[in-house]
Amino acid sequence: MSLTKFNPTCLRLGAAAAVLLAPVMAFAQEAAPAAAEAAPDVAPHVVYILNTLLFLVAGFLVFFMAAGFAMLEAGLVRSKNVSMQLTKNVALFGIAALMYLIVGYNLMYPGDNWTILNVIGAFSITSLQPVGATAADVDVSYASAGSDFFFQLMFCAATASIVSGTLAERIKLWPFLIFTAILTGLIYPIQASWKWGGGFLDANFGFLDFAGSTLVHSVGGWAALVGAIILGARAGKYGPNGQVNPIPGSNMGFATLGTFILWLGWFGFNGGSQLAMGSIGDVTDVSRIFANTNMAAVGGSVAALVLTQILYKKIDITMVLNGALAGLVSITAEPLTPSLVSAVLIGAVGGILVVVTVPLLDKFKIDDVVGAIPVHLVCGIWGTIAVVFTNSDATLYGQLASIVIIGLFVSITSAIVWMILKATMGIRVSAEEEMMGLDVVEIGVEAYPEFTKR
């Protein structure tokens, strides 16, 4: 039957169907208030299910950020060190997961089991709810323990990934992995418990950090900065007269792919940190967070694009990529309350800070291979301060004091660990090994064997 021709039979059938369905539609309308009245009896279960789903979906988005870090680092190091960076990113995720299972999760979320009240959490292994759990076995107002552990683990692993890129091309593998174990098992969860676990920064300072501009990104940045100072710069990076010698990365395609993967994963990073999806308000807020997160990245990338053109007369793709990441880090402390325009501006400031900070680090001869210190540390600080502009619950004192406290704790503990590793097993490869490349020296599998000179 052609839909382009008038058919009287169809018209008569349609009219008859409308008459027959009218009582059914009226009954559905009458039943709506009754369904609304019954909703409170099922709402807790629905809340639990939707919150758990949010944690799982957001968690695997954040997990995919591990691929983003791997690709970004693989593109920004030289071809002789690509396999080393890929190995580090796979290995650090496994170590972070094990350490978070063994001690990190309960150290970060101790409940009422603080070892030192509001300062150091519980030292115990993580456990889940029983198989086939019922409402009596769970907190129906929140989410499953498995989904919460899975989601929070991804943040822990991201912290270690930040350190990996900064110290590339000259650090030994095993000292780095040992540091990763201590960072993810002890340093990260202890300081995160001070806010997210209900510790003293939350109780006494009113510190606000929605998804981790300070608690995740600045922590990784402080650990990377201290490590870079102790480790020293790559051979040939800085000349005897203070000149800076650029060392280009091997693959801008990989670096760009990694940035887009991180950008994608950030929707889970920030959106999942709403920690609830069981109401109209919550799911609307999640969508608001997604939109603000995206616009902050746009602001950061465009600001870096324009500023590099003005300063250098050419656009630096690595600055544009890091500008996008800078915008993402900047909005992470408060992705909910800003307007879309405010999100763009917060991200744009982050992009500008990256372009300004990269050459500043070079003046101090601090060699950051991928630009993680400007992106994660500097913009993490900026994003944490920027909370006061859009969230009236934040105070400048509470934000600044918390930044300093966490910065001192992470810097001191990281320095102690790096110095012990340096004194006991050494953290840097020899000059000859650095020249050969860590793919050959540390891994034994070259990423680009056809390019190797024999």
Side-chain angles (χ1 to χ4, degrees), residues 73-82 84-85 88 163-172 231-235 237 246-250 367-370 427-439 441-442:
E73 294 173 26
L76 294 180
V77 299
R78 288 168 288 183
S79 57
K80 62 184 179 181
N81 296 307
V82 171
M84 175 65 158
Q85 288 309 112
K88 283 162 64 180
V163 184
S164 171
T166 295
L167 309 180
E169 300 202 310
R170 75 269 200 202
I171 193 169
K172 294 179 179 178
L231 183 63
R234 289 169 290 176
K237 175 64 177 178
I247 303 178
S250 60
D367 187 10
D368 180 357
V369 177
V370 302
I427 59 175
R428 182 167 186 145
V429 299
S430 68
E432 181 182 358
E433 291 171 332
E434 185 178 347
M435 184 64 66
M436 291 175 61
L438 304 190
D439 285 5
V441 174
E442 291 275 311

mmCIF file of all heavy atoms in Angstrom, residues 73-82 84-85 88 163-172 231-235 237 246-250 367-370 427-439 441-442:
data_model
loop_
_atom_site.group_PDB
_atom_site.id
_atom_site.type_symbol
_atom_site.label_atom_id
_atom_site.label_comp_id
_atom_site.label_asym_id
_atom_site.label_seq_id
_atom_site.Cartn_x
_atom_site.Cartn_y
_atom_site.Cartn_z
ATOM 1 N N GLU A 73 52.171 9.547 25.676
ATOM 2 C CA GLU A 73 53.591 9.410 26.007
ATOM 3 C C GLU A 73 54.363 8.748 24.879
ATOM 4 O O GLU A 73 55.502 9.142 24.569
ATOM 5 C CB GLU A 73 53.744 8.614 27.303
ATOM 6 C CG GLU A 73 53.186 9.346 28.518
ATOM 7 C CD GLU A 73 53.177 8.481 29.766
ATOM 8 O OE1 GLU A 73 54.004 7.542 29.854
ATOM 9 O OE2 GLU A 73 52.344 8.737 30.654
ATOM 10 N N ALA A 74 53.762 7.755 24.231
ATOM 11 C CA ALA A 74 54.431 7.092 23.115
ATOM 12 C C ALA A 74 54.709 8.070 21.980
ATOM 13 O O ALA A 74 55.720 7.962 21.280
ATOM 14 C CB ALA A 74 53.586 5.922 22.608
ATOM 15 N N GLY A 75 53.820 9.033 21.800
ATOM 16 C CA GLY A 75 54.019 10.006 20.736
ATOM 17 C C GLY A 75 55.011 11.103 21.075
ATOM 18 O O GLY A 75 55.653 11.653 20.175
ATOM 19 N N LEU A 76 55.167 11.411 22.362
ATOM 20 C CA LEU A 76 56.015 12.541 22.756
ATOM 21 C C LEU A 76 57.435 12.139 23.141
ATOM 22 O O LEU A 76 58.269 13.015 23.388
ATOM 23 C CB LEU A 76 55.352 13.303 23.914
ATOM 24 C CG LEU A 76 54.038 14.015 23.553
ATOM 25 C CD1 LEU A 76 53.475 14.745 24.763
ATOM 26 C CD2 LEU A 76 54.231 14.989 22.395
ATOM 27 N N VAL A 77 57.720 10.832 23.209
ATOM 28 C CA VAL A 77 59.107 10.411 23.423
ATOM 29 C C VAL A 77 59.721 10.038 22.083
ATOM 30 O O VAL A 77 59.027 9.881 21.078
ATOM 31 C CB VAL A 77 59.200 9.209 24.398
ATOM 32 C CG1 VAL A 77 58.633 9.569 25.760
ATOM 33 C CG2 VAL A 77 58.488 7.973 23.824
ATOM 34 N N ARG A 78 61.045 9.885 22.065
ATOM 35 C CA ARG A 78 61.723 9.471 20.848
ATOM 36 C C ARG A 78 61.465 7.993 20.570
ATOM 37 O O ARG A 78 61.119 7.225 21.473
ATOM 38 C CB ARG A 78 63.230 9.752 20.982
ATOM 39 C CG ARG A 78 63.569 11.230 20.911
ATOM 40 C CD ARG A 78 64.995 11.521 21.322
ATOM 41 N NE ARG A 78 65.200 11.356 22.769
ATOM 42 C CZ ARG A 78 66.338 11.605 23.400
ATOM 43 N NH1 ARG A 78 67.405 12.004 22.711
ATOM 44 N NH2 ARG A 78 66.430 11.444 24.701
ATOM 45 N N SER A 79 61.640 7.605 19.313
ATOM 46 C CA SER A 79 61.272 6.250 18.891
ATOM 47 C C SER A 79 62.024 5.177 19.652
ATOM 48 O O SER A 79 61.521 4.065 19.814
ATOM 49 C CB SER A 79 61.506 6.093 17.380
ATOM 50 O OG SER A 79 62.853 6.371 17.044
ATOM 51 N N LYS A 80 63.207 5.482 20.179
ATOM 52 C CA LYS A 80 64.008 4.482 20.891
ATOM 53 C C LYS A 80 63.512 4.233 22.307
ATOM 54 O O LYS A 80 64.034 3.343 23.004
ATOM 55 C CB LYS A 80 65.472 4.903 20.927
ATOM 56 C CG LYS A 80 65.736 6.222 21.664
ATOM 57 C CD LYS A 80 67.206 6.613 21.576
ATOM 58 C CE LYS A 80 67.496 7.945 22.280
ATOM 59 N NZ LYS A 80 68.927 8.312 22.172
ATOM 60 N N ASN A 81 62.489 4.975 22.747
ATOM 61 C CA ASN A 81 61.976 4.818 24.108
ATOM 62 C C ASN A 81 60.482 4.514 24.165
ATOM 63 O O ASN A 81 59.896 4.521 25.246
ATOM 64 C CB ASN A 81 62.243 6.100 24.905
ATOM 65 C CG ASN A 81 63.720 6.370 25.081
ATOM 66 O OD1 ASN A 81 64.470 5.519 25.538
ATOM 67 N ND2 ASN A 81 64.152 7.579 24.715
ATOM 68 N N VAL A 82 59.873 4.220 23.029
ATOM 69 C CA VAL A 82 58.424 4.027 22.980
ATOM 70 C C VAL A 82 57.990 2.770 23.727
ATOM 71 O O VAL A 82 57.038 2.799 24.518
ATOM 72 C CB VAL A 82 57.938 3.998 21.517
ATOM 73 C CG1 VAL A 82 56.472 3.573 21.443
ATOM 74 C CG2 VAL A 82 58.124 5.365 20.873
ATOM 75 N N MET A 84 59.374 1.299 26.158
ATOM 76 C CA MET A 84 59.539 1.538 27.586
ATOM 77 C C MET A 84 58.314 2.263 28.155
ATOM 78 O O MET A 84 57.772 1.882 29.202
ATOM 79 C CB MET A 84 60.802 2.370 27.829
ATOM 80 C CG MET A 84 61.011 2.793 29.275
ATOM 81 S SD MET A 84 61.295 1.414 30.382
ATOM 82 C CE MET A 84 62.124 2.264 31.734
ATOM 83 N N GLN A 85 57.849 3.299 27.480
ATOM 84 C CA GLN A 85 56.697 4.042 27.978
ATOM 85 C C GLN A 85 55.431 3.187 27.961
ATOM 86 O O GLN A 85 54.616 3.262 28.886
ATOM 87 C CB GLN A 85 56.484 5.302 27.155
ATOM 88 C CG GLN A 85 57.525 6.383 27.396
ATOM 89 C CD GLN A 85 57.719 6.695 28.866
ATOM 90 O OE1 GLN A 85 58.763 6.423 29.446
ATOM 91 N NE2 GLN A 85 56.699 7.247 29.497
ATOM 92 N N LYS A 88 55.662 0.772 30.896
ATOM 93 C CA LYS A 88 55.413 1.468 32.162
ATOM 94 C C LYS A 88 53.916 1.686 32.390
ATOM 95 O O LYS A 88 53.409 1.507 33.504
ATOM 96 C CB LYS A 88 56.148 2.811 32.193
ATOM 97 C CG LYS A 88 57.648 2.698 32.454
ATOM 98 C CD LYS A 88 58.386 3.954 32.062
ATOM 99 C CE LYS A 88 57.964 5.150 32.888
ATOM 100 N NZ LYS A 88 58.696 6.371 32.484
ATOM 101 N N VAL A 163 53.080 10.775 36.536
ATOM 102 C CA VAL A 163 54.510 10.733 36.863
ATOM 103 C C VAL A 163 55.297 10.088 35.731
ATOM 104 O O VAL A 163 56.414 10.505 35.407
ATOM 105 C CB VAL A 163 54.745 9.980 38.182
ATOM 106 C CG1 VAL A 163 56.222 10.003 38.584
ATOM 107 C CG2 VAL A 163 53.890 10.572 39.304
ATOM 108 N N SER A 164 54.718 9.085 35.118
ATOM 109 C CA SER A 164 55.409 8.321 34.087
ATOM 110 C C SER A 164 55.935 9.184 32.951
ATOM 111 O O SER A 164 57.090 9.056 32.529
ATOM 112 C CB SER A 164 54.459 7.255 33.525
ATOM 113 O OG SER A 164 55.002 6.621 32.396
ATOM 114 N N GLY A 165 55.094 10.096 32.447
ATOM 115 C CA GLY A 165 55.503 10.884 31.291
ATOM 116 C C GLY A 165 56.608 11.878 31.582
ATOM 117 O O GLY A 165 57.528 12.064 30.766
ATOM 118 N N THR A 166 56.552 12.504 32.752
ATOM 119 C CA THR A 166 57.563 13.507 33.104
ATOM 120 C C THR A 166 58.961 12.913 33.135
ATOM 121 O O THR A 166 59.932 13.526 32.676
ATOM 122 C CB THR A 166 57.234 14.137 34.471
ATOM 123 O OG1 THR A 166 56.003 14.863 34.361
ATOM 124 C CG2 THR A 166 58.333 15.082 34.939
ATOM 125 N N LEU A 167 59.089 11.716 33.682
ATOM 126 C CA LEU A 167 60.407 11.115 33.930
ATOM 127 C C LEU A 167 60.864 10.212 32.793
ATOM 128 O O LEU A 167 61.821 9.435 32.952
ATOM 129 C CB LEU A 167 60.372 10.320 35.233
ATOM 130 C CG LEU A 167 59.829 11.068 36.461
ATOM 131 C CD1 LEU A 167 59.854 10.168 37.685
ATOM 132 C CD2 LEU A 167 60.615 12.345 36.707
ATOM 133 N N ALA A 168 60.246 10.316 31.653
ATOM 134 C CA ALA A 168 60.535 9.419 30.528
ATOM 135 C C ALA A 168 61.963 9.587 30.011
ATOM 136 O O ALA A 168 62.609 10.602 30.227
ATOM 137 C CB ALA A 168 59.546 9.684 29.395
ATOM 138 N N GLU A 169 62.452 8.543 29.373
ATOM 139 C CA GLU A 169 63.685 8.510 28.577
ATOM 140 C C GLU A 169 64.965 8.445 29.405
ATOM 141 O O GLU A 169 66.044 8.366 28.826
ATOM 142 C CB GLU A 169 63.760 9.692 27.602
ATOM 143 C CG GLU A 169 62.606 9.722 26.623
ATOM 144 C CD GLU A 169 62.901 10.515 25.377
ATOM 145 O OE1 GLU A 169 63.372 11.671 25.486
ATOM 146 O OE2 GLU A 169 62.689 9.955 24.279
ATOM 147 N N ARG A 170 64.887 8.442 30.730
ATOM 148 C CA ARG A 170 66.134 8.310 31.503
ATOM 149 C C ARG A 170 65.967 7.588 32.822
ATOM 150 O O ARG A 170 66.928 7.364 33.545
ATOM 151 C CB ARG A 170 66.782 9.676 31.724
ATOM 152 C CG ARG A 170 66.147 10.601 32.755
ATOM 153 C CD ARG A 170 65.114 11.499 32.158
ATOM 154 N NE ARG A 170 64.843 12.673 32.986
ATOM 155 C CZ ARG A 170 63.708 13.371 32.910
ATOM 156 N NH1 ARG A 170 62.737 12.998 32.084
ATOM 157 N NH2 ARG A 170 63.538 14.435 33.676
ATOM 158 N N ILE A 171 64.761 7.193 33.211
ATOM 159 C CA ILE A 171 64.580 6.516 34.482
ATOM 160 C C ILE A 171 64.549 5.003 34.283
ATOM 161 O O ILE A 171 64.054 4.498 33.266
ATOM 162 C CB ILE A 171 63.285 6.988 35.183
ATOM 163 C CG1 ILE A 171 63.269 6.525 36.642
ATOM 164 C CG2 ILE A 171 62.047 6.513 34.445
ATOM 165 C CD1 ILE A 171 62.172 7.145 37.475
ATOM 166 N N LYS A 172 65.097 4.279 35.256
ATOM 167 C CA LYS A 172 65.039 2.821 35.222
ATOM 168 C C LYS A 172 63.613 2.350 35.477
ATOM 169 O O LYS A 172 62.842 3.016 36.178
ATOM 170 C CB LYS A 172 65.963 2.233 36.296
ATOM 171 C CG LYS A 172 67.450 2.476 36.071
ATOM 172 C CD LYS A 172 68.259 1.859 37.211
ATOM 173 C CE LYS A 172 69.748 2.054 37.013
ATOM 174 N NZ LYS A 172 70.535 1.500 38.145
ATOM 175 N N LEU A 231 66.019 13.312 39.632
ATOM 176 C CA LEU A 231 66.513 12.498 38.514
ATOM 177 C C LEU A 231 67.430 13.288 37.589
ATOM 178 O O LEU A 231 68.425 12.763 37.077
ATOM 179 C CB LEU A 231 65.320 11.954 37.735
ATOM 180 C CG LEU A 231 65.585 11.019 36.558
ATOM 181 C CD1 LEU A 231 66.261 9.728 37.020
ATOM 182 C CD2 LEU A 231 64.281 10.715 35.820
ATOM 183 N N GLY A 232 67.104 14.549 37.358
ATOM 184 C CA GLY A 232 67.889 15.361 36.432
ATOM 185 C C GLY A 232 67.346 15.297 35.022
ATOM 186 O O GLY A 232 66.496 14.466 34.684
ATOM 187 N N ALA A 233 67.847 16.182 34.178
ATOM 188 C CA ALA A 233 67.364 16.302 32.803
ATOM 189 C C ALA A 233 67.989 15.246 31.893
ATOM 190 O O ALA A 233 69.017 14.638 32.222
ATOM 191 C CB ALA A 233 67.682 17.694 32.263
ATOM 192 N N ARG A 234 67.369 15.041 30.748
ATOM 193 C CA ARG A 234 67.924 14.140 29.749
ATOM 194 C C ARG A 234 69.237 14.713 29.198
ATOM 195 O O ARG A 234 69.439 15.937 29.151
ATOM 196 C CB ARG A 234 66.945 13.961 28.589
ATOM 197 C CG ARG A 234 65.714 13.162 28.909
ATOM 198 C CD ARG A 234 64.682 13.264 27.802
ATOM 199 N NE ARG A 234 64.097 14.613 27.748
ATOM 200 C CZ ARG A 234 63.224 15.004 26.826
ATOM 201 N NH1 ARG A 234 62.857 14.172 25.857
ATOM 202 N NH2 ARG A 234 62.736 16.230 26.857
ATOM 203 N N ALA A 235 70.104 13.833 28.787
ATOM 204 C CA ALA A 235 71.377 14.256 28.193
ATOM 205 C C ALA A 235 71.110 15.091 26.945
ATOM 206 O O ALA A 235 70.329 14.701 26.066
ATOM 207 C CB ALA A 235 72.217 13.034 27.829
ATOM 208 N N LYS A 237 69.591 17.978 26.747
ATOM 209 C CA LYS A 237 68.416 18.842 26.787
ATOM 210 C C LYS A 237 68.820 20.301 27.020
ATOM 211 O O LYS A 237 68.254 21.209 26.393
ATOM 212 C CB LYS A 237 67.466 18.367 27.898
ATOM 213 C CG LYS A 237 66.250 19.266 28.113
ATOM 214 C CD LYS A 237 65.334 19.311 26.902
ATOM 215 C CE LYS A 237 64.099 20.152 27.174
ATOM 216 N NZ LYS A 237 63.217 20.259 25.990
ATOM 217 N N PRO A 246 65.503 21.604 21.902
ATOM 218 C CA PRO A 246 64.271 20.824 21.739
ATOM 219 C C PRO A 246 64.582 19.376 21.378
ATOM 220 O O PRO A 246 65.504 19.097 20.615
ATOM 221 C CB PRO A 246 63.551 21.528 20.581
ATOM 222 C CG PRO A 246 64.153 22.898 20.520
ATOM 223 C CD PRO A 246 65.584 22.735 20.949
ATOM 224 N N ILE A 247 63.823 18.457 21.973
ATOM 225 C CA ILE A 247 63.941 17.033 21.652
ATOM 226 C C ILE A 247 62.567 16.573 21.176
ATOM 227 O O ILE A 247 61.706 16.237 21.984
ATOM 228 C CB ILE A 247 64.410 16.211 22.869
ATOM 229 C CG1 ILE A 247 65.746 16.743 23.388
ATOM 230 C CG2 ILE A 247 64.528 14.724 22.505
ATOM 231 C CD1 ILE A 247 66.258 16.012 24.632
ATOM 232 N N PRO A 248 62.316 16.594 19.874
ATOM 233 C CA PRO A 248 60.973 16.298 19.353
ATOM 234 C C PRO A 248 60.539 14.870 19.648
ATOM 235 O O PRO A 248 61.352 13.942 19.736
ATOM 236 C CB PRO A 248 61.127 16.521 17.841
ATOM 237 C CG PRO A 248 62.358 17.352 17.686
ATOM 238 C CD PRO A 248 63.262 16.952 18.808
ATOM 239 N N GLY A 249 59.226 14.708 19.785
ATOM 240 C CA GLY A 249 58.658 13.379 19.947
ATOM 241 C C GLY A 249 58.623 12.628 18.632
ATOM 242 O O GLY A 249 58.863 13.188 17.563
ATOM 243 N N SER A 250 58.293 11.359 18.739
ATOM 244 C CA SER A 250 58.388 10.486 17.571
ATOM 245 C C SER A 250 57.124 10.426 16.725
ATOM 246 O O SER A 250 57.175 10.102 15.538
ATOM 247 C CB SER A 250 58.726 9.062 18.030
ATOM 248 O OG SER A 250 57.720 8.559 18.898
ATOM 249 N N ASP A 367 63.356 19.114 33.399
ATOM 250 C CA ASP A 367 63.033 18.456 32.137
ATOM 251 C C ASP A 367 61.763 17.618 32.296
ATOM 252 O O ASP A 367 61.774 16.553 32.909
ATOM 253 C CB ASP A 367 64.211 17.585 31.701
ATOM 254 C CG ASP A 367 64.012 16.999 30.315
ATOM 255 O OD1 ASP A 367 63.063 17.410 29.614
ATOM 256 O OD2 ASP A 367 64.831 16.135 29.923
ATOM 257 N N ASP A 368 60.670 18.111 31.738
ATOM 258 C CA ASP A 368 59.381 17.418 31.764
ATOM 259 C C ASP A 368 59.062 17.013 30.331
ATOM 260 O O ASP A 368 58.666 17.839 29.512
ATOM 261 C CB ASP A 368 58.317 18.353 32.336
ATOM 262 C CG ASP A 368 56.933 17.723 32.409
ATOM 263 O OD1 ASP A 368 56.777 16.567 31.968
ATOM 264 O OD2 ASP A 368 56.010 18.396 32.898
ATOM 265 N N VAL A 369 59.216 15.741 30.031
ATOM 266 C CA VAL A 369 59.152 15.274 28.644
ATOM 267 C C VAL A 369 57.805 15.557 27.996
ATOM 268 O O VAL A 369 57.739 15.980 26.835
ATOM 269 C CB VAL A 369 59.484 13.767 28.572
ATOM 270 C CG1 VAL A 369 59.344 13.249 27.140
ATOM 271 C CG2 VAL A 369 60.885 13.503 29.103
ATOM 272 N N VAL A 370 56.718 15.334 28.722
ATOM 273 C CA VAL A 370 55.391 15.445 28.115
ATOM 274 C C VAL A 370 54.619 16.686 28.556
ATOM 275 O O VAL A 370 53.481 16.905 28.123
ATOM 276 C CB VAL A 370 54.544 14.186 28.408
ATOM 277 C CG1 VAL A 370 55.234 12.938 27.887
ATOM 278 C CG2 VAL A 370 54.245 14.063 29.896
ATOM 279 N N ILE A 427 68.265 5.278 40.266
ATOM 280 C CA ILE A 427 67.016 5.501 39.534
ATOM 281 C C ILE A 427 67.248 5.891 38.078
ATOM 282 O O ILE A 427 66.304 5.907 37.284
ATOM 283 C CB ILE A 427 66.160 6.584 40.221
ATOM 284 C CG1 ILE A 427 66.903 7.919 40.315
ATOM 285 C CG2 ILE A 427 65.708 6.128 41.600
ATOM 286 C CD1 ILE A 427 66.065 9.049 40.885
ATOM 287 N N ARG A 428 68.492 6.175 37.725
ATOM 288 C CA ARG A 428 68.773 6.643 36.373
ATOM 289 C C ARG A 428 69.674 5.665 35.627
ATOM 290 O O ARG A 428 70.615 5.105 36.202
ATOM 291 C CB ARG A 428 69.429 8.020 36.416
ATOM 292 C CG ARG A 428 69.714 8.587 35.050
ATOM 293 C CD ARG A 428 70.059 10.053 35.076
ATOM 294 N NE ARG A 428 70.187 10.567 33.708
ATOM 295 C CZ ARG A 428 69.844 11.767 33.329
ATOM 296 N NH1 ARG A 428 69.357 12.632 34.210
ATOM 297 N NH2 ARG A 428 69.976 12.147 32.073
ATOM 298 N N VAL A 429 69.378 5.472 34.341
ATOM 299 C CA VAL A 429 70.236 4.641 33.505
ATOM 300 C C VAL A 429 71.541 5.382 33.239
ATOM 301 O O VAL A 429 71.641 6.602 33.435
ATOM 302 C CB VAL A 429 69.544 4.282 32.177
ATOM 303 C CG1 VAL A 429 68.268 3.485 32.429
ATOM 304 C CG2 VAL A 429 69.239 5.532 31.361
ATOM 305 N N SER A 430 72.553 4.661 32.785
ATOM 306 C CA SER A 430 73.832 5.295 32.481
ATOM 307 C C SER A 430 73.721 6.152 31.220
ATOM 308 O O SER A 430 72.760 6.027 30.444
ATOM 309 C CB SER A 430 74.903 4.230 32.268
ATOM 310 O OG SER A 430 74.646 3.488 31.081
ATOM 311 N N ALA A 431 74.704 7.008 31.011
ATOM 312 C CA ALA A 431 74.714 7.878 29.829
ATOM 313 C C ALA A 431 74.724 7.049 28.548
ATOM 314 O O ALA A 431 74.055 7.386 27.557
ATOM 315 C CB ALA A 431 75.921 8.807 29.880
ATOM 316 N N GLU A 432 75.484 5.957 28.559
ATOM 317 C CA GLU A 432 75.542 5.096 27.374
ATOM 318 C C GLU A 432 74.196 4.437 27.113
ATOM 319 O O GLU A 432 73.745 4.353 25.965
ATOM 320 C CB GLU A 432 76.623 4.023 27.573
ATOM 321 C CG GLU A 432 76.774 3.093 26.374
ATOM 322 C CD GLU A 432 77.814 2.005 26.613
ATOM 323 O OE1 GLU A 432 78.451 2.000 27.690
ATOM 324 O OE2 GLU A 432 77.966 1.155 25.722
ATOM 325 N N GLU A 433 73.536 3.967 28.178
ATOM 326 C CA GLU A 433 72.232 3.323 28.020
ATOM 327 C C GLU A 433 71.169 4.332 27.559
ATOM 328 O O GLU A 433 70.298 4.002 26.748
ATOM 329 C CB GLU A 433 71.817 2.689 29.341
ATOM 330 C CG GLU A 433 72.667 1.484 29.725
ATOM 331 C CD GLU A 433 72.388 1.001 31.129
ATOM 332 O OE1 GLU A 433 71.976 1.828 31.981
ATOM 333 O OE2 GLU A 433 72.580 -0.205 31.397
ATOM 334 N N GLU A 434 71.256 5.543 28.070
ATOM 335 C CA GLU A 434 70.323 6.579 27.641
ATOM 336 C C GLU A 434 70.488 6.872 26.156
ATOM 337 O O GLU A 434 69.499 7.088 25.437
ATOM 338 C CB GLU A 434 70.543 7.846 28.470
ATOM 339 C CG GLU A 434 69.543 8.951 28.175
ATOM 340 C CD GLU A 434 69.750 10.179 29.059
ATOM 341 O OE1 GLU A 434 70.501 10.098 30.051
ATOM 342 O OE2 GLU A 434 69.153 11.226 28.735
ATOM 343 N N MET A 435 71.725 6.875 25.684
ATOM 344 C CA MET A 435 71.983 7.120 24.277
ATOM 345 C C MET A 435 71.446 5.979 23.405
ATOM 346 O O MET A 435 70.875 6.222 22.329
ATOM 347 C CB MET A 435 73.482 7.285 24.044
ATOM 348 C CG MET A 435 73.854 7.649 22.615
ATOM 349 S SD MET A 435 73.212 9.276 22.111
ATOM 350 C CE MET A 435 74.161 10.348 23.215
ATOM 351 N N MET A 436 71.591 4.748 23.873
ATOM 352 C CA MET A 436 71.098 3.597 23.117
ATOM 353 C C MET A 436 69.571 3.578 23.052
ATOM 354 O O MET A 436 68.990 3.130 22.063
ATOM 355 C CB MET A 436 71.596 2.301 23.777
ATOM 356 C CG MET A 436 73.087 2.054 23.668
ATOM 357 S SD MET A 436 73.572 0.584 24.606
ATOM 358 C CE MET A 436 72.616 -0.678 23.771
ATOM 359 N N GLY A 437 68.956 4.023 24.098
ATOM 360 C CA GLY A 437 67.489 3.979 24.177
ATOM 361 C C GLY A 437 67.025 2.903 25.128
ATOM 362 O O GLY A 437 67.601 1.808 25.195
ATOM 363 N N LEU A 438 65.973 3.193 25.869
ATOM 364 C CA LEU A 438 65.521 2.272 26.914
ATOM 365 C C LEU A 438 64.762 1.076 26.365
ATOM 366 O O LEU A 438 64.585 0.081 27.062
ATOM 367 C CB LEU A 438 64.664 3.032 27.930
ATOM 368 C CG LEU A 438 65.335 4.247 28.588
ATOM 369 C CD1 LEU A 438 64.492 4.774 29.734
ATOM 370 C CD2 LEU A 438 66.731 3.892 29.088
ATOM 371 N N ASP A 439 64.321 1.153 25.114
ATOM 372 C CA ASP A 439 63.685 -0.030 24.519
ATOM 373 C C ASP A 439 64.669 -1.196 24.480
ATOM 374 O O ASP A 439 64.314 -2.344 24.781
ATOM 375 C CB ASP A 439 63.211 0.280 23.096
ATOM 376 C CG ASP A 439 61.957 1.136 23.076
ATOM 377 O OD1 ASP A 439 61.507 1.563 24.160
ATOM 378 O OD2 ASP A 439 61.426 1.390 21.973
ATOM 379 N N VAL A 441 67.711 -1.321 26.240
ATOM 380 C CA VAL A 441 68.370 -1.535 27.522
ATOM 381 C C VAL A 441 67.444 -2.144 28.565
ATOM 382 O O VAL A 441 67.806 -3.094 29.265
ATOM 383 C CB VAL A 441 68.933 -0.195 28.042
ATOM 384 C CG1 VAL A 441 69.490 -0.353 29.451
ATOM 385 C CG2 VAL A 441 69.997 0.331 27.103
ATOM 386 N N GLU A 442 66.228 -1.620 28.672
ATOM 387 C CA GLU A 442 65.327 -2.024 29.757
ATOM 388 C C GLU A 442 64.274 -3.040 29.319
ATOM 389 O O GLU A 442 63.840 -3.862 30.116
ATOM 390 C CB GLU A 442 64.622 -0.785 30.315
ATOM 391 C CG GLU A 442 65.538 0.164 31.069
ATOM 392 C CD GLU A 442 65.724 -0.239 32.521
ATOM 393 O OE1 GLU A 442 64.733 -0.510 33.211
ATOM 394 O OE2 GLU A 442 66.887 -0.304 32.965
#
